[in-house]
Amino acid sequence: MPPAAFAALLLALAALFPLFHLYWGGLNYWLHMLLFVYMNIAVASSWNIIGGYAGYVSLGHNVFLAVGGYFSGILFAYFGLSPFLTTPLAGLAAMAVGLVVGTITLRTRGPTFIISTIALVLLVKIALDNWDYVGGSNGMSLPLVPLPVELVKLPFYYGMLATAAGAVFLSFHIRRSKFGLGLRAISQDETKAAVAGIPTGSYKILAFALSGLFVGMAGALWGYYLTFLRPTIFLSILIGARIVFMTILGGRGTVAGPVVGATLFIAANEFFVSHFGTSELNIAATGLLLILMLLFFPDGIVGTLRRTGHLPRALDWD
C-alpha cells in the first residue's frame, strides 16, 4: 500500500472509532488510551524536528506542554475562554517561548545544551510553584466540560487527533524541504554546514520554535482534559526523557518513527501497568523492553528496518 494511502487509512479509522463508542458504548477506556497515544505522537513528532533532524537532544520539551496547558487554563479560568478555542493560541505561545529559549540555549552544543534544557524544566517548575495567580504548587482547577459522560471525551479525542495529524504533517513537510535538508546537514556536521552557507543559527532557533507549536497545543487540550493544572503534571524530568525515548525507539530523524515509537511505548507501558501495577516491576519491565528493542534496532525500529531493506512500503513516509 502506498504510504499516503496507508496514512490516510489510519487517520480515517481513527476518526471513525468514536462512532463505535456511540453505537455500542463502553469504550471510554479505549478512547482515553487512544487520546493519550495521539498526544504522545504529537509531542514525539514535534521533538523529532529539533532532536531528530537537527540532532540537538532536548530534555526540556515538556516545558512547552506546561506553557500550553497554563496559557489556555488561565484564559479559561479567569476570562471564560474555552481551551477548544484557545488551543491554537497556546501553540503559538509555546512557539514564542521556543524562539526566546532557543536564542539563548542553542548557542551551546552537546551535553551543555542537554543540561540547559534540564535547567529550563527546573526553572519553570520553580516559577510555577511560586506563582500564586495559578495556584502555585497546589495547582488550579478548571471547570468541567458540560457534556454527558458518554460524550465528554469526544471533543478531546478529535482535538488531540487533529493535533497529532498536524504534528506529523509538519514533520513530513520539514523533512522534505530545503529547511529540513539544512537541519540534517547541521546534524551531520554543523561546522561544515555553516561553511556551505547554511544559516545554522537561525535554522536551529526556528526548528526549536516549530518543535514547540504542537506540543503547546497538546498541553492545552491535556490540561483541560484533566480539569486540573499542577506543575508536577508537566514538569518532571521523566516526562522529558520519555519524549526522547519514544522518538529514539521508533527511529529519530524519520517521519514514521515517532508515530511507531509513541504507539509501542504507550502500549507496552499500559501492558506492564495492568500486570505489575505502578510498582518498580513495571518500570523495570518497561526499561528492559526498551533496552532489548534498541539492541535489536540500534537506529530505532523504522531506521533499522530501512537500513536493512525490510521497512514496509506503507511506513516509508520520508
Side-chain angles (χ1 to χ4, degrees):
M1 180 182 291
F6 181 69
L9 176 62
L10 288 179
L11 189 59
L13 290 174
L16 291 173
F17 179 78
L19 298 181
F20 295 99
H21 171 67
L22 294 177
Y23 186 77
W24 283 295
L27 297 178
N28 269 315
Y29 167 78
W30 291 106
L31 285 175
H32 169 78
M33 288 309 304
L34 287 173
L35 187 156
F36 189 54
V37 168
Y38 300 153
M39 182 185 75
N40 283 280
I41 288 174
V43 173
S45 294
S46 297
W47 183 91
N48 193 42
I49 296 171
I50 185 68
Y53 300 156
Y56 273 73
V57 176
S58 166
L59 287 174
H61 257 55
N62 47 327
V63 166
F64 296 129
L65 282 172
V67 170
Y70 274 92
F71 181 88
S72 283
I74 290 171
L75 291 179
F76 189 32
Y78 291 103
F79 302 99
L81 297 175
S82 171
F84 293 125
L85 299 177
T86 60
T87 289
L89 295 178
L92 293 176
M95 187 174 172
V97 171
L99 282 172
V100 175
V101 172
T103 302
I104 300 171
T105 60
L106 287 168
R107 297 175 182 177
T108 61
R109 302 183 187 181
T112 308
F113 174 74
I114 297 173
I115 292 171
S116 69
T117 60
I118 296 174
L120 175 64
V121 175
L122 299 177
L123 288 172
V124 174
K125 184 177 184 301
I126 291 172
L128 290 176
D129 279 340
N130 293 277
W131 192 13
D132 293 335
Y133 187 70
V134 294
S137 59
N138 294 322
M140 61 186 294
S141 297
L142 300 177
L144 299 175
V145 181
L147 288 174
V149 175
E150 64 272 12
L151 300 178
V152 72
K153 285 185 171 61
L154 296 189
F156 296 101
Y157 178 93
Y158 283 113
M160 206 67 83
L161 175 61
T163 302
V168 175
F169 187 74
L170 176 64
S171 175
F172 171 80
H173 277 277
I174 288 177
R175 180 73 169 75
R176 294 195 164 199
S177 68
K178 179 182 176 182
F179 173 55
L181 183 62
L183 293 179
R184 296 199 300 279
I186 291 171
S187 176
Q188 294 298 317
D189 192 317
E190 188 170 339
T191 302
K192 289 182 179 179
V195 172
I198 296 172
T200 56
S202 57
Y203 268 34
K204 290 187 298 181
I205 294 171
L206 180 57
F208 193 74
L210 287 172
S211 70
L213 175 62
F214 286 101
V215 182
M217 294 175 64
L221 291 171
W222 186 245
Y224 188 23
Y225 178 72
L226 297 177
T227 68
F228 186 75
L229 299 175
R230 193 175 184 179
T232 52
I233 292 175
F234 302 107
L235 299 171
S236 164
I237 300 298
L238 290 177
I239 296 175
R242 187 181 68 192
I243 297 170
V244 179
F245 290 156
M246 289 188 298
T247 312
I248 292 176
L249 175 63
R252 71 173 182 160
T254 66
V255 178
V259 178
V260 173
T263 303
L264 289 179
F265 184 90
I266 299 303
N269 187 68
E270 186 65 15
F271 173 82
F272 290 129
V273 167
S274 66
H275 283 74
F276 303 121
T278 56
S279 65
E280 286 80 2
L281 285 175
N282 160 46
I283 299 173
T286 303
L288 179 62
L289 176 65
L290 289 174
I291 292 172
L292 291 174
M293 290 293 290
L294 291 176
L295 283 175
F296 288 101
F297 300 94
D299 295 326
I301 295 171
V302 173
T304 302
L305 290 178
R306 173 180 288 118
R307 179 169 53 80
T308 57
H310 295 95
L311 181 67
R313 187 180 175 216
L315 288 176
D316 191 7
W317 296 357
D318 292 352

